[in-house]
Amino acid sequence: MHWSMSTLPLPPYELGIHSLSGLLWTLLLLFLWHCYRMGSDLPIPGHTHAGKLKSGSRRSMMSRSGICAGTKCSARSKLLRSDQITTFISMETEEDEDQGQGYLTPVLSHALFPAQASAEAKKLYAALQEYAKRYSWVGMGRIHKGLREQVRLNDHSAIQKPHLFFLPDVPSVPFFPRDAHRHDIEVLEANCPAILDEFQAIYQRGIDSKHGWTSLGPKVHNNITQGQAVFPLYSAGVCVAGNCRSCPCTYRTILSLRTFISSNSLGSAGFWLLGPGATLGSSYGPTNTRLRCHLGLQTPPLCELVVGGEPQCWAEGHCLLVDDSFLHTLSHKDAAPRVILSVDLWHPNVAAAERQALDFMFSPDI
């Protein structure tokens, strides 16, 4: 039996003292009629399959319409993301299921990964698959795409060409504004006097390997090098314990940074000294997933850094955010050495899930 609105026994009411109770009765009866209509759509025995199809199609229509107008944009973006994830996973399912192999089994076939890829790229691809096996493929689309396109990137000249790993679809410029990492920049600049004092203390002991320095050029008189000299605190994701003990304030400051890359081989931190007359030829950094933060400690005026064709100079007590995956050169024509504290920070457009995966892929233990 089907009811219509004309058959509902709506109680008559008059405006006045009984109007509220009459309205409530009307709403109650409308609710009961709605429940009856919803119940009549349930599948009857013997028609379970048809009921499932009907309810499934209703849910599909509700999900595509975004339930309400206020959520149309978010529903559309979720569908786009889910389509990307589905496409990405389907690439990994092209295996023989009869042999009991799942999509997480490492495969380096030509269809999924360029056969001409370097041994390092294949190693990173296997590490990505191992990460997905332990955790999830969700959010790994850009990393997967970057590994497959790395070979093509290395084959042509470009102003931005990281030689180890390129994360696609990451907006980037040679020099980033302070707002990209405002908190970390303010922490470094606030501790600049203490950091400078600790540098001067280790500098007075002499630039020598037995004191923790790595010299990249010949030394001359008065403890000044003609090339580069680095006093590492973190080297390729590994803490240099002896050097950190010599600079406790600098070490604590670095650890207090929110975006410091401390868990993989892409991240380093330390004092970087450039001697008078030194020049660095054109080169690319290893990846575009990081930014190098340079805190100026001693910055003579005739010292210039050119990144992606844009020149910049350091300033004492201030930070400079550099994407060194761009082609960059450096020249120093002053008589005094230039000194900075260099700290590697995550690129602000690298998502948290991607950072976790990159920590796994570039772990110093791998």
Side-chain angles (χ1 to χ4, degrees):
M1 182 179 74
H2 292 278
W3 289 356
S4 64
M5 288 296 294
S6 61
T7 61
L8 290 176
L10 300 177
Y13 60 89
E14 299 178 358
L15 291 176
I17 191 169
H18 299 293
S19 61
L20 179 59
S21 60
L23 179 61
L24 292 176
W25 271 106
T26 302
L27 292 176
L28 177 60
L29 290 173
L30 286 174
F31 174 73
L32 293 175
W33 177 78
H34 173 74
C35 291
Y36 167 77
R37 294 295 300 170
M38 293 296 293
S40 65
D41 289 338
L42 292 176
I44 61 175
H47 297 79
T48 305
H49 181 66
K52 287 182 178 179
L53 290 176
K54 187 173 183 180
S55 62
S57 62
R58 178 180 297 149
R59 285 194 298 268
S60 176
M61 292 175 64
M62 291 175 67
S63 63
R64 292 183 182 179
S65 63
I67 306 300
C68 63
T71 59
K72 285 184 178 179
C73 293
S74 62
R76 187 177 296 112
S77 63
K78 289 180 180 177
L79 286 172
L80 289 175
R81 287 197 297 269
S82 64
D83 290 341
Q84 293 173 355
I85 294 171
T86 303
T87 304
F88 174 66
I89 293 178
S90 65
M91 296 177 62
E92 300 292 331
T93 59
E94 298 177 4
E95 297 190 20
D96 190 357
E97 295 183 357
D98 295 335
Q99 298 179 0
Q101 295 180 343
Y103 74 92
L104 294 174
T105 305
V107 175
L108 296 176
S109 65
H110 179 74
L112 296 179
F113 198 75
Q116 67 272 27
S118 64
E120 182 65 27
K122 293 178 180 179
K123 181 179 177 182
L124 292 175
Y125 187 79
L128 174 62
Q129 291 189 314
E130 179 63 24
Y131 172 84
K133 183 177 180 180
R134 296 187 185 186
Y135 303 101
S136 173
W137 277 110
V138 176
M140 299 299 105
R142 291 198 302 181
I143 295 180
H144 187 273
K145 180 181 178 182
L147 289 174
R148 287 185 287 110
E149 295 182 350
Q150 186 68 35
V151 175
R152 200 163 49 196
L153 179 69
N154 291 336
D155 287 341
H156 69 275
S157 59
I159 195 171
Q160 184 185 25
K161 189 170 66 174
H163 57 79
L164 183 58
F165 175 69
F166 178 77
L167 186 65
D169 306 322
V170 173
S172 189
V173 291
F175 296 97
F176 270 71
R178 294 171 56 90
D179 289 341
H181 286 302
R182 176 170 295 276
H183 172 270
D184 290 350
I185 285 178
E186 290 177 350
V187 169
L188 287 169
E189 292 178 351
N191 289 276
C192 183
I195 293 173
L196 178 59
D197 290 341
E198 289 185 341
F199 166 76
Q200 290 174 341
I202 61 174
Y203 180 72
Q204 294 301 323
R205 294 186 310 192
I207 300 176
D208 198 289
S209 58
K210 65 181 180 181
H211 295 145
W213 286 87
T214 300
S215 182
L216 305 177
K219 288 187 294 185
V220 295
H221 65 283
N222 294 331
N223 198 32
I224 296 178
T225 178
Q226 287 182 324
Q228 300 180 72
V230 180
F231 189 82
L233 302 176
Y234 271 82
S235 179
V238 178
C239 176
V240 184
N243 289 356
C244 289
R245 284 193 292 267
S246 300
C247 307
C249 179
T250 305
Y251 172 67
R252 289 193 299 269
T253 300
I254 291 174
L255 290 186
S256 69
L257 304 180
R258 295 175 179 174
T259 58
F260 171 52
I261 305 176
S262 60
S263 302
N264 68 58
S265 58
L266 300 176
S268 298
F271 295 106
W272 182 17
L273 185 148
L274 194 68
T279 58
L280 300 179
S282 301
S283 60
Y284 298 95
T287 180
N288 68 327
T289 61
R290 74 179 190 189
L291 297 180
R292 298 213 120 164
C293 183
H294 293 175
L295 174 63
L297 300 178
Q298 295 180 10
T299 58
L302 300 179
C303 191
E304 185 179 65
L305 174 65
V306 180
V307 182
E310 298 182 19
Q312 285 281 359
C313 294
W314 293 272
E316 294 182 0
H318 297 279
C319 289
L320 193 64
L321 282 177
V322 182
D323 186 344
D324 69 337
S325 65
F326 285 87
L327 184 68
H328 58 275
T329 60
L330 193 153
S331 62
H332 181 26
K333 301 178 182 179
D334 206 281
R338 184 231 58 180
V339 182
I340 62 169
L341 174 68
S342 177
V343 182
D344 289 335
L345 308 177
W346 284 110
H347 191 292
N349 293 103
V350 179
E354 293 172 326
R355 296 179 185 183
Q356 183 176 343
L358 291 172
D359 280 343
F360 183 88
M361 294 167 56
F362 290 95
S363 170
D365 298 329
I366 294 180

